[in-house]
Amino acid sequence: AQTVTQSQPEMSVQEAETVTLSCTYDTSESDYYLFWYKQPPSRQMILVIRQEAYKQQNATENRFSVNFQKAAKSFSLKISDSQLGDAAMYFCAYRTSTGNQFYFGTGTSLTVIP
Amino acid sequence: ETGVTQSPTHLIKTRGQQVTLRCSSQSGHNTVSWYQQALGQGPQFIFQYYREEENGRGNFPPRFSGLQFPNYSSELNVNALELDDSALYLCASSLGDSRHRDEQFFGPGTRLTVL
């Protein structure tokens, strides 16, 4: 069974600094997709970044980048130049290449300190 | 372009009752997925509807059922409510083709409380 683990329930970062959120997953599949979603206090979940397992290059979206280590089944999110608007719950998620089901981790609550 | 909307925002029910939650998908989207998010947890996949047919189901009992209508809006029905059904229910819409399948757009959720 696929599981997604986020071992950091809470993280904090100074504004303008860099923070890394951790995620590990367990799967026997070789082809799959990984995601980071952001859920602000307003509750509407937003896709932050997406990584295809067959791609070795780490995905980047502006200030957000990932460190994808396939062998270690690790998928961390780096937020550079943190902004107050980055404060939210961050969820790591997994989907097989053929399935429709997304598996989410338990989330990391990020606080940005002014 | 209209985003994903859900109704109602909040709902309080008692054990044993039945509830219907509604979701309007983003304009042009033909796929709706439903998730249950318990307090302090990540979303758990309930099921997905694609062009009015169930297209995948998570580990939820049959008392969780759904519908998708020709306009691609969707309902989640839960019968015989239990206390553990208290959660935020999220729906997400997407285009069902392989290129856009991952681009889920989430609604704000319905907070269900079962007393």
Side-chain angles (χ1 to χ4, degrees):
Chain A
Q2 289 87 353
T3 57
V4 178
T5 301
Q6 293 179 250
S7 58
Q8 306 154 314
E10 296 177 347
M11 291 282 285
S12 62
V13 62
Q14 291 284 145
E15 196 175 1
E17 297 294 310
T18 296
V19 65
T20 299
L21 308 185
S22 301
C23 173
T24 58
Y25 57 94
D26 186 25
T27 183
S28 57
E29 305 284 334
S30 60
D31 195 14
Y32 48 87
Y33 298 88
L34 296 164
F35 310 84
W36 279 97
Y37 280 88
K38 171 185 177 181
Q39 188 176 40
S42 66
R43 301 182 306 189
Q44 204 135 4
M45 195 94 73
I46 304 163
L47 177 64
V48 174
I49 199 164
R50 172 182 183 268
Q51 173 81 41
E52 293 147 322
Y54 66 85
K55 289 187 176 177
Q56 292 188 337
Q57 187 173 7
N58 289 323
T60 299
E61 287 287 341
N62 301 314
R63 298 183 295 107
F64 298 88
S65 61
V66 299
N67 183 4
F68 173 48
Q69 302 288 328
K70 190 172 184 180
K73 296 180 182 174
S74 170
F75 182 61
S76 60
L77 173 70
K78 185 171 85 171
I79 306 174
S80 304
D81 185 26
S82 296
Q83 300 175 1
L84 295 177
D86 294 334
M89 280 291 286
Y90 285 81
F91 291 97
C92 178
Y94 163 102
R95 183 181 70 78
T96 64
S97 61
T98 54
N100 302 313
Q101 182 168 350
F102 280 68
Y103 298 85
F104 283 82
T106 51
T108 296
S109 177
L110 179 66
T111 300
V112 180
I113 303 165
Chain B
E1 187 177 81
T2 309
V4 179
T5 60
Q6 292 185 243
S7 62
T9 307
H10 297 86
L11 202 52
I12 299 174
K13 292 285 189 178
T14 55
R15 250 184 329 177
Q17 285 189 310
Q18 178 265 344
V19 70
T20 297
L21 310 182
R22 295 179 175 82
C23 172
S24 291
S25 58
Q26 182 153 319
S27 177
H29 285 183
N30 55 17
T31 303
V32 173
S33 301
W34 284 93
Y35 295 86
Q36 181 194 67
Q37 187 178 12
L39 200 61
Q41 300 295 315
Q44 299 288 314
F45 177 76
I46 302 174
F47 44 56
Q48 182 184 86
Y49 278 82
Y50 172 63
R51 292 185 175 178
E52 303 179 57
E53 298 285 333
E54 189 178 287
N55 188 38
R57 188 179 182 92
N59 190 26
F60 279 81
R63 60 189 185 83
F64 286 78
S65 63
L67 279 174
Q68 188 178 32
F69 300 99
N71 67 355
Y72 303 130
S73 65
S74 178
E75 286 183 355
L76 164 64
N77 298 291
V78 187
N79 292 322
L81 283 167
E82 301 177 0
L83 297 179
D84 285 349
D85 295 335
S86 295
L88 181 68
Y89 288 84
L90 298 169
C91 83
S93 75
S94 58
L95 264 176
D97 61 40
S98 57
R99 183 178 165 209
H100 296 101
R101 195 147 54 120
D102 293 332
E103 294 173 15
Q104 293 190 107
F105 292 82
F106 282 82
T110 293
R111 173 71 65 188
L112 173 64
T113 302
V114 182
L115 302 176

